[in-house]
Each structure stands twice: as C-alpha cells, then as structure tokens.
Amino acid sequence: MSYLEWAESQLAEIELLTSMFPTVEELEFTDQLALAELRDYVEGSASTGGPPPSRPQFLIKQKLDSANTEGTVFILSCAYPSEYPSVLPEITVRCSGLSRAQQTQLQALLNAYLMGNCQGEICVLSAVEWVKDNLQLFIDKSLLEAPGPKKESASPRMPEVFSRLWIYSHHIYNKSKRKNILDWSKELGLSGFSMPGKPGIVCVEGPQSACEDFWSRVKVLTWKKIMIRHREDISLDCQSEDSRLVEHIDSLRKFTGFEEAMFDPHGNRGNHMDLGQLYQFLNEKGCCEVFQMYFGIEGR
C-alpha cells in the first residue's frame, strides 16, 4: 500500500468513529491540526507528496453499564503510525477501576489480541469492543475473588510482564527533555538508551508497568512527532519469588543501566548521528533488527 492508501484508510476509520462516538465526551482528538492535515492530504492536491508530519491522536472514553461496574469509565488512547493499518496503531487502555497490576495485565492481553487478530486491518473499534468485553470480566472476577482481610495474603499474584519499548521522535534537542528522559528511566528502574538529535531514539526496558509509566510521562511533552515504533512484551512466571522474578527480568535486559548515546555528531548544528555507528551499537546489544524498523533499510 502507498502512504495515500494508508491515509485514506485512517480517515475512513476516523469518520466511522466520529459517527459512532459523536460527542467530545466520547471521542476527543488531542491534535486537531494533525486531523486537518490528514484530511487535506487525502482530499487535496498535497496527496502526491509524502504523508503529513503530524499523526492523528485521540481518546475514546466509554462507560460500562452493568450493575457491578457502576458507571466505570475506561479511556483508550490511540495514535496512528504513518503506515497504519499495515502496522498496528499505538493503543493504550486506562481504567481507574483496576489496580495497577490488573491494568498491566489487561494492556498485555490487548496487545496480544491486536497482534493476533488485527494485522493489516483497521482495528480501533475492535479494540474498543474487546476492552468492553474483557474489562467487564476483570471487574467481575475482582468482585468474586475479593478476599477478606485474613485471606488477602493468599490471593494469587497477577502475572508480570517484561517490556521493551522502541520510541521514535522527529528530533530530540531540548536539554530539559533529555534530562527528563535520563531521570525518569533511572527513577523507574529502566535500562536502555536515548539518542538525541534528528531523528531521536529512545529504548526503555524493564517491568511493563514501569515502561508504561515512562511512556505516559514522555508522550505528553511537546513534540513535533513521537511514537512507539516497536514494542516487545514477554510474560514472566508469576509464581516465582520476588528475588527470582528480579533475576528473570535482569536476564532479559539487553542493556546495562540507562545512558544517553552519541554517535559521532555532525552537521551544521551537530544534530545528526552516524547511523553506521548506531547500527553497530544495536548489533552489539543483539537488537540490530530494529534498525530496519526505524529507517527502512538494512544496516551494515
């Protein structure tokens, strides 16, 4: 498919969602300019060029209406990559009625559902319906399994998930943002690296809840463009003791600690990195395949 065909599919889905969720309380576009640029690209003379630089991002807010849920609200945060629907959109679910562990598990299951059932197709509405069905089950299960005070320590542990997020930004120049990325990754116990310049790359890895926390902080900063380009989620043995679980997480890490990595900065402003050196760095860490995901070319 071409960029124009991808954009046409995106606009068609947005129009479908707008008809199904007509009020701002149900569907909120967080970047109206990006929506206007997408529409102009599809309908206007600009359709012969590349895709718009900004990507549509929106929130879908829904209430569950069963007696047990008492108006529980969930929010689906959605962002379109340029190549959607050939690649999956970035979809994050939030619900105040769930514990942090339950929310982490629900997100992992949603990601698995999308990867297994929605490749190559528009899927936001399917994600909404999946969350409605499964969130109801989560809440019902919580009510049924809610232990008394004496039994609380015997309740089963929620599954843990190890995640690795590969984040792409149009650029990372701002010193304050660069400091936030370093500080937040260390605060949350994440390993990985950030590469400032144009483009900007950030990789964080560790417990999924910490990775999601990091992403929720980073994405609300002011960016020309930022997205999760690729993610890896690995379920862990929830029966392991805490010490064994930490060892398991550490064994999956490809990076030791978190660093800001520079690769022979050059250009008039010193804001371009040597991509050959970046490829060698990724190759040494055992993750050179993401180079093609970022740049669309084989590294060497």
Side-chain angles (χ1 to χ4, degrees), residues 7 15 36 134 143 167 187 219 229 276 289 292 298:
E15 290 175 345
N134 288 272
L143 292 172
I167 300 169
E187 174 194 337
K219 70 179 180 180
R229 193 68 174 140
E289 68 281 355
Q292 185 172 18
E298 295 282 353

Side-chain angles (χ1 to χ4, degrees), residues 73-115:
V73 175
F74 71 87
I75 299 175
L76 223 61
S77 174
C78 307
Y80 286 161
S82 298
E83 299 87 352
Y84 173 71
S86 290
V87 300
L88 291 174
E90 176 197 324
I91 299 181
T92 304
V93 59
R94 302 196 305 273
C95 176
S96 59
L98 297 182
S99 68
R100 187 168 179 173
Q102 288 175 316
Q103 195 149 284
T104 296
Q105 185 186 22
L106 183 67
Q107 182 70 55
L109 292 173
L110 173 60
N111 293 340
Y113 166 77
L114 293 173
M115 292 183 68

Side-chain angles (χ1 to χ4, degrees), residues 38-282:
L38 177 67
R39 194 177 301 278
D40 288 344
Y41 177 65
V42 172
E43 299 176 352
S45 59
S47 60
T48 56
S54 303
R55 307 308 307 152
Q57 299 184 40
F58 52 90
L59 304 174
I60 296 177
K61 308 167 191 176
Q62 291 287 285
K63 271 186 182 179
L64 299 181
D65 52 10
S66 73
N68 288 342
T69 56
E70 299 180 353
T72 297
V73 175
F74 71 87
I75 299 175
L76 223 61
S77 174
C78 307
Y80 286 161
S82 298
E83 299 87 352
Y84 173 71
S86 290
V87 300
L88 291 174
E90 176 197 324
I91 299 181
T92 304
V93 59
R94 302 196 305 273
C95 176
S96 59
L98 297 182
S99 68
R100 187 168 179 173
Q102 288 175 316
Q103 195 149 284
T104 296
Q105 185 186 22
L106 183 67
Q107 182 70 55
L109 292 173
L110 173 60
N111 293 340
Y113 166 77
L114 293 173
M115 292 183 68
N117 299 275
C118 300
Q119 296 277 8
E121 300 179 359
I122 59 172
C123 60
V124 173
L125 190 58
S126 296
V128 172
E129 294 304 317
W130 186 93
V131 171
K132 280 185 178 179
D133 293 342
N134 288 272
L135 183 55
Q136 181 69 65
L137 294 175
F138 266 71
I139 293 174
D140 289 347
K141 186 177 180 182
S142 296
L143 292 172
L144 289 172
E145 295 183 353
K150 294 182 180 179
K151 296 181 179 180
E152 186 172 356
S153 60
S155 59
R157 295 174 56 178
M158 300 300 292
E160 295 286 348
V161 178
F162 175 88
S163 291
R164 184 177 297 111
L165 306 184
W166 294 93
I167 300 169
Y168 168 90
S169 174
H170 179 270
H171 63 263
I172 304 176
Y173 299 147
N174 185 280
K175 291 182 179 179
S176 177
K177 290 178 184 175
R178 291 164 62 180
K179 184 176 186 300
N180 284 337
I181 289 170
L182 290 169
D183 291 346
W184 291 340
S185 60
K186 291 173 182 175
E187 174 194 337
L188 296 167
L190 298 172
S191 48
F193 76 99
S194 63
M195 186 187 81
K198 181 180 180 180
I201 294 175
V202 180
C203 172
V204 289
E205 58 180 6
Q208 187 182 67
S209 57
C211 289
E212 296 293 350
D213 192 346
F214 177 86
W215 173 238
S216 69
R217 300 184 196 186
V218 167
K219 70 179 180 180
V220 298
L221 301 176
T222 303
W223 303 94
K224 181 172 183 179
K225 177 180 181 180
I226 193 166
M227 61 186 292
I228 296 177
R229 193 68 174 140
H230 179 60
R231 69 178 297 148
E232 303 164 56
D233 296 302
I234 302 172
S235 295
L236 305 176
D237 180 7
C238 62
Q239 302 302 320
S240 298
E241 298 177 1
D242 287 344
S243 59
R244 295 288 301 278
L245 191 61
V246 171
E247 290 177 4
H248 193 179
I249 289 175
D250 287 344
S251 72
L252 294 170
R253 296 182 190 268
K254 294 190 176 183
F255 301 89
T256 302
F258 191 94
E259 63 175 323
E260 184 175 81
M262 308 282 279
F263 303 102
D264 189 20
H266 59 279
N268 293 336
R269 298 173 56 187
N271 57 4
H272 292 278
M273 299 294 170
D274 185 317
L275 298 185
Q277 290 187 24
L278 169 63
Y279 176 78
Q280 292 302 323
F281 173 77
L282 294 174

